[in-house]
Tab-separated table of all heavy atoms in Angstrom:
chain	number	residue	atom	x	y	z
X	8	LYS	N	-12.871	-13.112	11.377
X	8	LYS	CA	-12.943	-13.816	10.103
X	8	LYS	C	-14.237	-13.493	9.371
X	8	LYS	O	-14.242	-13.221	8.160
X	8	LYS	CB	-12.833	-15.328	10.352
X	8	LYS	CG	-12.775	-16.164	9.090
X	8	LYS	CD	-12.594	-17.635	9.433
X	8	LYS	CE	-12.537	-18.477	8.162
X	8	LYS	NZ	-12.363	-19.923	8.476
X	9	GLU	N	-15.351	-13.491	10.125
X	9	GLU	CA	-16.640	-13.162	9.517
X	9	GLU	C	-16.680	-11.708	9.072
X	9	GLU	O	-17.253	-11.371	8.027
X	9	GLU	CB	-17.773	-13.444	10.518
X	9	GLU	CG	-17.956	-14.915	10.855
X	9	GLU	CD	-18.316	-15.730	9.624
X	9	GLU	OE1	-19.065	-15.216	8.768
X	9	GLU	OE2	-17.836	-16.875	9.507
X	10	LEU	N	-16.064	-10.835	9.867
X	10	LEU	CA	-16.016	-9.412	9.511
X	10	LEU	C	-15.242	-9.207	8.220
X	10	LEU	O	-15.658	-8.433	7.345
X	10	LEU	CB	-15.374	-8.617	10.653
X	10	LEU	CG	-15.156	-7.119	10.407
X	10	LEU	CD1	-16.488	-6.418	10.175
X	10	LEU	CD2	-14.423	-6.491	11.583
X	11	LEU	N	-14.106	-9.898	8.072
X	11	LEU	CA	-13.299	-9.768	6.864
X	11	LEU	C	-14.057	-10.283	5.644
X	11	LEU	O	-14.014	-9.673	4.571
X	11	LEU	CB	-11.988	-10.533	7.039
X	11	LEU	CG	-10.988	-10.439	5.879
X	11	LEU	CD1	-10.601	-8.989	5.629
X	11	LEU	CD2	-9.749	-11.279	6.164
X	12	LYS	N	-14.788	-11.394	5.811
X	12	LYS	CA	-15.575	-11.931	4.704
X	12	LYS	C	-16.657	-10.949	4.277
X	12	LYS	O	-16.876	-10.715	3.079
X	12	LYS	CB	-16.209	-13.263	5.117
X	12	LYS	CG	-15.231	-14.425	5.206
X	12	LYS	CD	-15.973	-15.706	5.570
X	12	LYS	CE	-15.025	-16.895	5.626
X	12	LYS	NZ	-15.732	-18.150	5.998
X	13	ALA	N	-17.358	-10.375	5.264
X	13	ALA	CA	-18.412	-9.403	4.956
X	13	ALA	C	-17.835	-8.166	4.286
X	13	ALA	O	-18.443	-7.596	3.371
X	13	ALA	CB	-19.156	-9.018	6.230
X	14	LEU	N	-16.647	-7.757	4.723
X	14	LEU	CA	-16.010	-6.574	4.152
X	14	LEU	C	-15.609	-6.814	2.703
X	14	LEU	O	-15.794	-5.945	1.843
X	14	LEU	CB	-14.775	-6.210	4.985
X	14	LEU	CG	-14.053	-4.909	4.636
X	14	LEU	CD1	-14.969	-3.721	4.842
X	14	LEU	CD2	-12.792	-4.769	5.485
X	15	LEU	N	-15.085	-7.987	2.412
X	15	LEU	CA	-14.654	-8.299	1.047
X	15	LEU	C	-15.832	-8.523	0.107
X	15	LEU	O	-15.695	-8.388	-1.105
X	15	LEU	CB	-13.742	-9.528	1.058
X	15	LEU	CG	-12.387	-9.336	1.766
X	15	LEU	CD1	-11.589	-10.620	1.754
X	15	LEU	CD2	-11.595	-8.198	1.122
X	16	ARG	N	-17.003	-8.874	0.672
X	16	ARG	CA	-18.198	-9.020	-0.167
X	16	ARG	C	-18.764	-7.669	-0.583
X	16	ARG	O	-19.470	-7.572	-1.587
X	16	ARG	CB	-19.272	-9.826	0.585
X	16	ARG	CG	-19.009	-11.330	0.625
X	16	ARG	CD	-20.267	-12.083	1.028
X	16	ARG	NE	-20.727	-11.694	2.351
X	16	ARG	CZ	-20.394	-12.346	3.464
X	16	ARG	NH1	-19.610	-13.413	3.411
X	16	ARG	NH2	-20.866	-11.949	4.633
X	17	ASP	N	-18.455	-6.645	0.209
X	17	ASP	CA	-18.931	-5.294	-0.097
X	17	ASP	C	-17.979	-4.641	-1.095
X	17	ASP	O	-16.789	-4.489	-0.817
X	17	ASP	CB	-19.003	-4.472	1.202
X	17	ASP	CG	-19.498	-3.061	0.970
X	17	ASP	OD1	-20.035	-2.787	-0.128
X	17	ASP	OD2	-19.357	-2.224	1.876
X	18	ARG	N	-18.475	-4.250	-2.258
X	18	ARG	CA	-17.610	-3.711	-3.313
X	18	ARG	C	-16.897	-2.444	-2.864
X	18	ARG	O	-15.684	-2.297	-3.059
X	18	ARG	CB	-18.430	-3.428	-4.578
X	18	ARG	CG	-17.585	-2.950	-5.754
X	18	ARG	CD	-18.441	-2.756	-6.986
X	18	ARG	NE	-19.473	-1.754	-6.768
X	18	ARG	CZ	-20.383	-1.399	-7.673
X	18	ARG	NH1	-20.390	-2.007	-8.849
X	18	ARG	NH2	-21.283	-0.481	-7.411
X	19	ILE	N	-17.621	-1.523	-2.250
X	19	ILE	CA	-17.005	-0.279	-1.789
X	19	ILE	C	-16.029	-0.560	-0.651
X	19	ILE	O	-14.921	-0.008	-0.607
X	19	ILE	CB	-18.090	0.722	-1.335
X	19	ILE	CG1	-19.050	1.018	-2.493
X	19	ILE	CG2	-17.440	2.014	-0.831
X	19	ILE	CD1	-18.391	1.636	-3.702
X	20	GLY	N	-16.450	-1.425	0.275
X	20	GLY	CA	-15.562	-1.770	1.384
X	20	GLY	C	-14.294	-2.446	0.898
X	20	GLY	O	-13.209	-2.237	1.462
X	21	ARG	N	-14.409	-3.241	-0.143
X	21	ARG	CA	-13.250	-3.928	-0.703
X	21	ARG	C	-12.248	-2.919	-1.262
X	21	ARG	O	-11.030	-3.080	-1.101
X	21	ARG	CB	-13.704	-4.896	-1.790
X	21	ARG	CG	-12.615	-5.798	-2.314
X	21	ARG	CD	-13.187	-6.997	-3.058
X	21	ARG	NE	-14.021	-6.586	-4.185
X	21	ARG	CZ	-15.324	-6.837	-4.286
X	21	ARG	NH1	-15.959	-7.477	-3.316
X	21	ARG	NH2	-16.009	-6.465	-5.352
X	22	ILE	N	-12.763	-1.866	-1.880
X	22	ILE	CA	-11.877	-0.823	-2.415
X	22	ILE	C	-11.116	-0.133	-1.280
X	22	ILE	O	-9.901	0.078	-1.368
X	22	ILE	CB	-12.693	0.208	-3.228
X	22	ILE	CG1	-13.273	-0.444	-4.492
X	22	ILE	CG2	-11.827	1.407	-3.601
X	22	ILE	CD1	-14.211	0.448	-5.262
X	23	GLY	N	-11.838	0.226	-0.220
X	23	GLY	CA	-11.192	0.865	0.916
X	23	GLY	C	-10.171	-0.035	1.580
X	23	GLY	O	-9.072	0.407	1.943
X	24	PHE	N	-10.520	-1.311	1.732
X	24	PHE	CA	-9.615	-2.271	2.365
X	24	PHE	C	-8.348	-2.443	1.540
X	24	PHE	O	-7.231	-2.439	2.085
X	24	PHE	CB	-10.331	-3.615	2.529
X	24	PHE	CG	-9.491	-4.689	3.161
X	24	PHE	CD1	-9.205	-4.654	4.509
X	24	PHE	CD2	-8.979	-5.725	2.390
X	24	PHE	CE1	-8.419	-5.643	5.093
X	24	PHE	CE2	-8.196	-6.718	2.958
X	24	PHE	CZ	-7.918	-6.675	4.315
X	25	ILE	N	-8.486	-2.563	0.231
X	25	ILE	CA	-7.317	-2.717	-0.642
X	25	ILE	C	-6.452	-1.456	-0.599
X	25	ILE	O	-5.215	-1.528	-0.549
X	25	ILE	CB	-7.757	-3.024	-2.080
X	25	ILE	CG1	-8.409	-4.412	-2.155
X	25	ILE	CG2	-6.572	-2.945	-3.044
X	25	ILE	CD1	-9.024	-4.738	-3.500
X	26	GLY	N	-7.108	-0.283	-0.597
X	26	GLY	CA	-6.354	0.965	-0.530
X	26	GLY	C	-5.548	1.092	0.746
X	26	GLY	O	-4.372	1.482	0.724
X	27	VAL	N	-6.159	0.737	1.876
X	27	VAL	CA	-5.453	0.788	3.162
X	27	VAL	C	-4.295	-0.199	3.176
X	27	VAL	O	-3.189	0.128	3.634
X	27	VAL	CB	-6.434	0.503	4.317
X	27	VAL	CG1	-5.685	0.290	5.628
X	27	VAL	CG2	-7.428	1.647	4.466
X	28	CYS	N	-4.533	-1.409	2.670
X	28	CYS	CA	-3.468	-2.421	2.618
X	28	CYS	C	-2.303	-1.949	1.761
X	28	CYS	O	-1.124	-2.158	2.113
X	28	CYS	CB	-4.018	-3.742	2.098
X	28	CYS	SG	-5.110	-4.596	3.253
X	29	LEU	N	-2.597	-1.296	0.647
X	29	LEU	CA	-1.534	-0.811	-0.236
X	29	LEU	C	-0.679	0.251	0.454
X	29	LEU	O	0.555	0.234	0.346
X	29	LEU	CB	-2.141	-0.246	-1.526
X	29	LEU	CG	-2.667	-1.267	-2.539
X	29	LEU	CD1	-3.327	-0.559	-3.715
X	29	LEU	CD2	-1.551	-2.182	-3.026
X	30	VAL	N	-1.340	1.168	1.167
X	30	VAL	CA	-0.587	2.208	1.877
X	30	VAL	C	0.308	1.591	2.943
X	30	VAL	O	1.483	1.974	3.100
X	30	VAL	CB	-1.555	3.229	2.511
X	30	VAL	CG1	-0.793	4.222	3.386
X	30	VAL	CG2	-2.326	3.971	1.435
X	31	ILE	N	-0.223	0.624	3.679
X	31	ILE	CA	0.561	-0.037	4.726
X	31	ILE	C	1.737	-0.794	4.116
X	31	ILE	O	2.868	-0.743	4.632
X	31	ILE	CB	-0.330	-0.984	5.541
X	31	ILE	CG1	-1.372	-0.179	6.318
X	31	ILE	CG2	0.504	-1.833	6.498
X	31	ILE	CD1	-2.387	-1.026	7.059
X	32	ILE	N	1.497	-1.486	3.005
X	32	ILE	CA	2.569	-2.228	2.342
X	32	ILE	C	3.657	-1.285	1.837
X	32	ILE	O	4.859	-1.552	2.001
X	32	ILE	CB	1.995	-3.062	1.177
X	32	ILE	CG1	1.151	-4.221	1.726
X	32	ILE	CG2	3.119	-3.612	0.293
X	32	ILE	CD1	0.382	-4.981	0.661
X	33	VAL	N	3.251	-0.178	1.219
X	33	VAL	CA	4.234	0.799	0.734
X	33	VAL	C	5.065	1.347	1.886
X	33	VAL	O	6.295	1.487	1.781
X	33	VAL	CB	3.521	1.951	-0.014
X	33	VAL	CG1	4.493	3.100	-0.283
X	33	VAL	CG2	2.942	1.454	-1.325
X	34	GLY	N	4.408	1.642	3.029
X	34	GLY	CA	5.143	2.149	4.177
X	34	GLY	C	6.101	1.132	4.760
X	34	GLY	O	7.259	1.444	5.074
X	35	LEU	N	5.640	-0.114	4.899
X	35	LEU	CA	6.475	-1.153	5.502
X	35	LEU	C	7.665	-1.518	4.620
X	35	LEU	O	8.777	-1.753	5.107
X	35	LEU	CB	5.631	-2.403	5.781
X	35	LEU	CG	4.601	-2.299	6.917
X	35	LEU	CD1	3.798	-3.582	7.004
X	35	LEU	CD2	5.286	-2.019	8.253
X	36	PHE	N	7.427	-1.566	3.313
X	36	PHE	CA	8.470	-2.013	2.389
X	36	PHE	C	9.039	-0.858	1.562
X	36	PHE	O	9.480	-1.068	0.428
X	36	PHE	CB	7.919	-3.104	1.463
X	36	PHE	CG	7.475	-4.338	2.196
X	36	PHE	CD1	6.132	-4.527	2.490
X	36	PHE	CD2	8.389	-5.287	2.614
X	36	PHE	CE1	5.713	-5.661	3.167
X	36	PHE	CE2	7.984	-6.421	3.290
X	36	PHE	CZ	6.641	-6.613	3.571
X	37	ALA	N	9.029	0.345	2.138
X	37	ALA	CA	9.552	1.516	1.437
X	37	ALA	C	10.996	1.333	0.975
X	37	ALA	O	11.339	1.707	-0.159
X	37	ALA	CB	9.429	2.759	2.320
X	38	PRO	N	11.898	0.737	1.784
X	38	PRO	CA	13.283	0.562	1.304
X	38	PRO	C	13.382	-0.340	0.071
X	38	PRO	O	14.329	-0.214	-0.710
X	38	PRO	CB	13.991	-0.085	2.503
X	38	PRO	CG	13.174	0.322	3.692
X	38	PRO	CD	11.756	0.345	3.199
X	39	VAL	N	12.409	-1.241	-0.098
X	39	VAL	CA	12.418	-2.145	-1.253
X	39	VAL	C	11.737	-1.502	-2.460
X	39	VAL	O	12.203	-1.633	-3.595
X	39	VAL	CB	11.721	-3.476	-0.896
X	39	VAL	CG1	11.677	-4.403	-2.106
X	39	VAL	CG2	12.428	-4.147	0.274
X	40	ILE	N	10.635	-0.799	-2.201
X	40	ILE	CA	9.841	-0.224	-3.286
X	40	ILE	C	10.482	1.044	-3.848
X	40	ILE	O	10.508	1.254	-5.067
X	40	ILE	CB	8.415	0.065	-2.794
X	40	ILE	CG1	7.728	-1.246	-2.371
X	40	ILE	CG2	7.589	0.772	-3.859
X	40	ILE	CD1	6.375	-1.039	-1.727
X	41	ALA	N	10.988	1.898	-2.957
X	41	ALA	CA	11.549	3.181	-3.398
X	41	ALA	C	12.800	2.954	-4.234
X	41	ALA	O	13.703	2.207	-3.828
X	41	ALA	CB	11.875	4.052	-2.186
X	42	PRO	N	12.891	3.599	-5.387
X	42	PRO	CA	14.071	3.395	-6.253
X	42	PRO	C	15.340	4.047	-5.714
X	42	PRO	O	16.444	3.635	-6.060
X	42	PRO	CB	13.644	4.023	-7.582
X	42	PRO	CG	12.565	4.990	-7.227
X	42	PRO	CD	11.854	4.417	-6.038
X	43	TYR	N	15.197	5.086	-4.892
X	43	TYR	CA	16.358	5.793	-4.359
X	43	TYR	C	16.154	6.085	-2.884
X	43	TYR	O	15.061	5.886	-2.334
X	43	TYR	CB	16.584	7.121	-5.108
X	43	TYR	CG	16.669	6.981	-6.605
X	43	TYR	CD1	15.574	7.303	-7.415
X	43	TYR	CD2	17.840	6.533	-7.222
X	43	TYR	CE1	15.644	7.174	-8.797
X	43	TYR	CE2	17.911	6.409	-8.606
X	43	TYR	CZ	16.816	6.725	-9.381
X	43	TYR	OH	16.882	6.595	-10.741
X	44	SER	N	17.177	6.572	-2.250
X	44	SER	CA	17.062	7.052	-0.874
X	44	SER	C	16.236	8.339	-0.875
X	44	SER	O	16.367	9.158	-1.802
X	44	SER	CB	18.447	7.316	-0.290
X	44	SER	OG	18.340	8.052	0.916
X	45	PRO	N	15.401	8.579	0.142
X	45	PRO	CA	14.567	9.784	0.141
X	45	PRO	C	15.367	11.074	0.311
X	45	PRO	O	14.847	12.156	0.044
X	45	PRO	CB	13.628	9.557	1.328
X	45	PRO	CG	14.375	8.645	2.232
X	45	PRO	CD	15.148	7.726	1.316
X	46	ILE	N	16.616	10.949	0.765
X	46	ILE	CA	17.435	12.162	0.953
X	46	ILE	C	18.574	12.247	-0.062
X	46	ILE	O	19.411	13.149	0.026
X	46	ILE	CB	18.001	12.227	2.391
X	46	ILE	CG1	18.870	10.995	2.682
X	46	ILE	CG2	16.874	12.330	3.397
X	46	ILE	CD1	19.567	11.059	4.030
X	47	GLU	N	18.592	11.318	-1.011
X	47	GLU	CA	19.639	11.354	-2.040
X	47	GLU	C	19.381	12.502	-2.999
X	47	GLU	O	18.265	12.686	-3.496
X	47	GLU	CB	19.680	10.030	-2.795
X	47	GLU	CG	20.820	9.934	-3.796
X	47	GLU	CD	20.894	8.574	-4.462
X	47	GLU	OE1	20.066	7.698	-4.113
X	47	GLU	OE2	21.769	8.394	-5.333
X	48	ILE	N	20.429	13.283	-3.262
X	48	ILE	CA	20.312	14.475	-4.100
X	48	ILE	C	20.983	14.240	-5.455
X	48	ILE	O	22.135	13.795	-5.518
X	48	ILE	CB	20.944	15.697	-3.403
X	48	ILE	CG1	20.159	16.052	-2.137
X	48	ILE	CG2	21.001	16.891	-4.355
X	48	ILE	CD1	20.775	17.178	-1.329
X	49	PHE	N	20.233	14.533	-6.511
X	49	PHE	CA	20.765	14.466	-7.873
X	49	PHE	C	20.913	15.906	-8.380
X	49	PHE	O	19.937	16.520	-8.829
X	49	PHE	CB	19.827	13.662	-8.774
X	49	PHE	CG	19.658	12.227	-8.344
X	49	PHE	CD1	18.668	11.875	-7.443
X	49	PHE	CD2	20.509	11.241	-8.831
X	49	PHE	CE1	18.505	10.559	-7.040
X	49	PHE	CE2	20.356	9.926	-8.429
X	49	PHE	CZ	19.358	9.577	-7.526
X	50	LYS	N	22.110	16.436	-8.298
X	50	LYS	CA	22.340	17.844	-8.584
X	50	LYS	C	22.041	18.217	-10.034
X	50	LYS	O	21.744	19.380	-10.334
X	50	LYS	CB	23.787	18.213	-8.244
X	50	LYS	CG	24.109	18.098	-6.761
X	50	LYS	CD	25.547	18.525	-6.475
X	50	LYS	CE	25.854	18.424	-4.990
X	50	LYS	NZ	27.257	18.825	-4.677
X	51	ASP	N	22.121	17.245	-10.921
X	51	ASP	CA	21.865	17.524	-12.340
X	51	ASP	C	20.396	17.335	-12.705
X	51	ASP	O	20.035	17.429	-13.892
X	51	ASP	CB	22.720	16.608	-13.217
X	51	ASP	CG	24.210	16.846	-13.035
X	51	ASP	OD1	24.579	17.986	-12.710
X	51	ASP	OD2	24.995	15.881	-13.184
X	52	SER	N	19.539	17.076	-11.713
X	52	SER	CA	18.127	16.788	-12.010
X	52	SER	C	17.203	17.598	-11.110
X	52	SER	O	16.243	17.076	-10.538
X	52	SER	CB	17.855	15.282	-11.838
X	52	SER	OG	18.694	14.512	-12.650
């Protein structure tokens, strides 16, 4: 808890922490976030 508080007080550390969280969230919720299937083919596009 103290480590997280110290990390969020650090401006640069906060940027890194938010970036890592965003990547993890995108990976975990890829089926919700992604508009299409990753293997779906649009032949006209």
Side-chain angles (χ1 to χ4, degrees):
K8 185 177 180 180
E9 294 299 323
L10 176 62
L11 183 59
K12 287 182 178 179
L14 186 62
L15 294 178
R16 283 196 299 266
D17 180 14
R18 184 177 61 181
I19 301 299
R21 188 163 59 243
I22 293 173
F24 179 73
I25 293 173
V27 169
C28 289
L29 285 176
V30 173
I31 294 175
I32 290 172
V33 169
L35 289 177
F36 298 99
V39 178
I40 298 174
Y43 307 101
S44 167
I46 59 174
E47 185 176 358
I48 295 176
F49 298 89
K50 295 182 179 180
D51 297 331
S52 303

